[in-house]
Amino acid sequence: ARINLGPNGPERRDQEILALSLVEALELMRDPSGYESVFVASTAWYGSATRVRESADRALATMLDDPTDAIAAIIEKNPSMTIRTAALRAAVRSKAPDERKAAIARRSLALGIERASVDKRGLAEAAAFRMEAISALARVRDRSPESVPLLAAAISMDARDDASLDESIRAYAALGVNGSDAAAELLASKLDEYGTRETDKRNAPRAKTLVRQILSSMRAARNPLVADSLARAQHIDFDEGILRLVRETRDALK
């Protein structure tokens, strides 16, 4: 673990050789207590020629079938959004059950939301971490109602710029995958909200992109709780392209 902290001048080459040997040994041992050291090695100072980081990254996928407890500890105690993001990716790549991966992604999303409220200088890193967590929820086909308030919070942070548009689209897509009653109710309320704004002529052009994603998510969710909202949307003065999507979504849910 000490070697991961940084090179010691003329001993650098010897340190890298030793680190590679330790990574390979810990991989073979498959001891949970060694997971964090191997993870840190995968993100540490080692040069590409020594293959320490590459070997450590490969070892993470094999040394534990379910490393989520170790990864949860890393995400909780390491303040770096970059390290947290790497840890979350390691969790998703692991052989852990999807529900365990989803729990890590939910906690990561909560931490990313929390960080944005207390560290305004790290907004971009916090946003990248949140987007990684949102994508992870969709990737593992998470359908837990517990995820919905977190996805709603991420959507509410939309700053009307390109970066937050991407985050909102991912969050809406994850709600479609989720498909729970809570997710359907949120999608319906958002479509109603944009419908009201359209009636009042308050929708900016980017809103059309979000409305299209909401409709796509409703179709993916296949939850009848969105039916009333779709029926109302048919009578809103949306452009014909969106109204066609509304009709197609209604037909797909019948």
Side-chain angles (χ1 to χ4, degrees):
R2 289 195 302 272
I3 301 174
N4 286 331
L5 298 177
N8 183 21
E11 298 179 14
R12 177 184 182 120
R13 178 60 179 168
D14 290 340
Q15 286 180 296
E16 290 180 314
I17 293 171
L18 177 58
L20 181 60
S21 298
L22 290 171
V23 165
E24 292 172 348
L26 288 168
E27 180 182 10
L28 291 173
M29 291 171 64
R30 296 175 61 85
D31 188 333
S33 63
Y35 185 89
E36 183 173 353
S37 293
V38 174
F39 171 79
V40 173
S42 74
T43 64
W45 57 270
Y46 307 107
S48 58
T50 59
R51 298 181 293 106
V52 175
R53 286 180 298 178
E54 293 80 356
S55 296
D57 192 59
R58 185 176 62 251
L60 294 175
T62 60
M63 63 185 297
L64 295 179
D65 288 338
D66 184 354
T68 50
D69 286 338
I71 289 173
I74 294 168
I75 288 174
E76 290 291 343
K77 71 183 183 182
N78 197 305
S80 166
M81 292 287 104
T82 302
I83 297 298
R84 284 174 164 176
T85 299
L88 175 57
R89 287 174 180 162
V92 173
R93 290 199 313 268
S94 76
K95 298 176 183 177
D98 282 349
E99 60 268 23
R100 299 273 286 173
K101 295 177 183 179
I104 290 286
R106 274 193 296 274
R107 180 56 182 156
S108 296
L109 182 51
L111 288 170
I113 292 168
E114 178 184 306
R115 172 60 68 89
S117 67
V118 299
D119 180 13
K120 300 304 181 184
R121 294 171 300 177
L123 289 178
E125 289 185 350
F129 185 46
R130 292 195 304 273
M131 285 194 283
E132 194 71 34
I134 292 167
S135 295
L137 288 171
R139 197 172 303 128
V140 302
R141 312 297 298 176
D142 167 64
R143 298 182 64 84
S144 171
E146 296 176 46
S147 303
V148 175
L150 294 168
L151 293 168
I155 291 168
S156 72
M157 297 172 72
D158 193 312
R160 309 295 190 269
D161 56 21
D162 289 344
S164 57
L165 177 62
D166 187 17
E167 182 174 351
S168 293
I169 287 173
R170 292 191 196 200
Y172 281 126
L175 287 167
V177 173
N178 186 288
S180 65
D181 286 356
E185 288 168 356
L186 178 57
L187 290 169
S189 70
K190 289 297 182 180
L191 183 59
D192 286 342
E193 179 182 323
Y194 280 110
T196 299
R197 292 176 65 88
E198 187 67 28
T199 299
D200 297 338
K201 306 301 180 187
R202 292 186 293 118
N203 275 335
R206 81 195 291 274
K208 293 183 180 180
T209 301
L210 293 172
V211 171
R212 289 189 186 97
Q213 179 58 61
I214 290 168
L215 291 168
S216 176
S217 295
M218 285 180 164
R219 187 166 183 166
R222 301 194 65 80
N223 190 311
L225 289 180
V226 303
D228 289 347
S229 178
L230 286 167
R232 289 188 289 270
Q234 280 196 307
H235 303 289
I236 301 295
D237 191 25
F238 286 119
D239 65 53
E240 181 52 37
I242 289 178
L243 289 174
R244 184 175 63 254
L245 288 175
V246 171
R247 293 192 294 271
E248 290 173 353
T249 304
R250 289 192 74 189
D251 290 344
L253 296 180
K254 289 179 180 177

